Amino acid sequence: MGEKVAAGRFDLSDRQHYRDKLRRCLAGLERLLEEKRFDRPRNLMGLEIELNLLGADGMPRMLNAQVLERIASRDFQTELAMFNLEVNIAPHRLGGRVFDRLAEELRTSLAYADRKAGELDAGIVMIGILPTLDRDDLVSSNLSAVDRYTLLNDQIVAARGEDFALDIDGVEHLTCTSKSIAPEAACTSVQLHLQVTPGRFADVWNAAQAVAAAQIAVGANSPFLFGRELWRESRPPLFQQSTDTRPPELQAQGVRPRTWFGERWISSAFDLFEENLRYYPALLPICDDEDPLDVLDAGGIPSLGELVLHNGTVYRWNRPVYGIADGRPHLRVENRVLPAGPTVTDVLANAAFYYGVVRALAEESRPVWTRLPFEAAAANFDAACRYGIDARLEWPRRGRLGGTTEVDAVGLVRDELLPLAEAGLDAWGVEPADRDLYLGVIDERCRRRTNGASWQSATFHRALEKGLSREAALAATTRRYRELTLLGEPVHTWPVGLPEPVPLG
């Protein structure tokens, strides 16, 4: 959320005042939309990547405060747990050689941070879920020493009123409980931001929802949790369950979880912010002194602080964002679907695919969301998380036949979505060299049916076949993963398995 909040207790009057402020903020947002006060289109994109700290043994290291002190850069921030960091890249205009420029910036920043972590015998790795995490690592005492995390944990725990239940049935079955939201910290993601005009917001958000399953299918990188092999992308079920304020009775009543895919296509960004107020009670009822309607009456731009804070506690996979830059309000779609890693090249290939295909889908004359039921898009997302690059998805038929059919995710991406992504990147003005390099990575993953999750799983099983214990195999897989990320070649080129030991003499 990035908010500077002070830990404290809330009473009934705080919550009532916050609800009233939220309603005024929503009315302020509605006026801003009606009065067309938003920033002109600037084709701006942004990128955030959550990172893990680990030792030479492949095990997590609870050192983020010490590492950040040495990095001493505003580009790096704390994340939920002490083994997490986040790197933020300044907004860039989509076009030209933007992905190559981003690659250079990211490699430079990550190499510097890794050197600083090395001073503490630690290293940095981009991965969806660190395979060596143990249940004892994900406890409240390992949350980062930041007030907002303590407060958020306390409020979610209080709202739930009992332990969190984790139950993920995949290749293997994991069931356990947690007394805090700390398991959420296992989920390390990439967030892709795209600034859009209010008039284009709904089309871009709907397109992002429709393509989320394909993003996961080609980009899955989180097959392990607590020593178990689960879904190919285990972050979404873990995130939902570890932030779930609903006890079983409310789940049975159909109350919506705070982490969710959604339930309908939208016609305006206002729809999403209004849903937030209608469905979700406040977790952090912290108010500022601004009256947004008075600010608007005076010709100013309100910060809508309560609306922004509340939105930060509803974990949509494609989240609306309201912000102010250079004195002008703007809207962004924040795509939160993808896991971190494996390499900078892979991250930017995922980004190029997303920005390209969303642009093309949003501008189609017969948009995909008019031909695909929302329930099918949600089911596709679950299927892609479960099966990764081997998923089968429901998608509209081509031509005049209408209706939908089941397709192989790889075939859908290669035959339909990659050509759309190419056209979309052309429309953004991205140089063909950038376009072809990064979309070529996605094509090769599909051709070889390989992504980060399939590599991790295959290498882990090879290690087991060599006689390693599960714990040793996971640690060896993690160490090998980090070695290959440092070399920088995209994951589809990685050799499966552990390197043979070099004979002495």
Side-chain angles (χ1 to χ4, degrees), residues 131-210:
T132 50
L133 282 169
D134 186 80
R135 288 177 59 183
D136 292 340
D137 297 317
L138 292 166
V139 292
S140 57
S141 59
N142 283 335
L143 294 177
S144 294
V146 177
D147 280 348
R148 69 177 183 271
Y149 299 135
T150 302
L151 186 55
L152 184 65
N153 177 69
D154 291 348
Q155 294 301 305
I156 291 179
V157 168
R160 183 173 174 86
E162 58 189 72
D163 288 355
F164 297 87
L166 303 183
D167 187 343
I168 306 174
D169 194 4
V171 177
E172 298 175 299
H173 193 179
L174 172 70
T175 58
C176 62
T177 60
S178 173
K179 295 186 179 300
S180 75
I181 66 169
E184 178 198 334
C187 307
T188 41
S189 310
V190 170
Q191 284 107 47
L192 301 173
H193 290 256
L194 179 61
Q195 183 177 328
V196 293
T197 60
R200 298 297 289 159
F201 185 95
D203 289 345
V204 171
W205 188 87
N206 289 339
Q209 289 285 96

Side-chain angles (χ1 to χ4, degrees), residues 210-231:
V211 81
Q215 286 182 272
I216 287 286
V218 297
N221 196 28
S222 314
F224 297 106
L225 176 66
F226 298 159
R228 302 289 177 87
E229 185 175 2
L230 302 174
W231 294 10

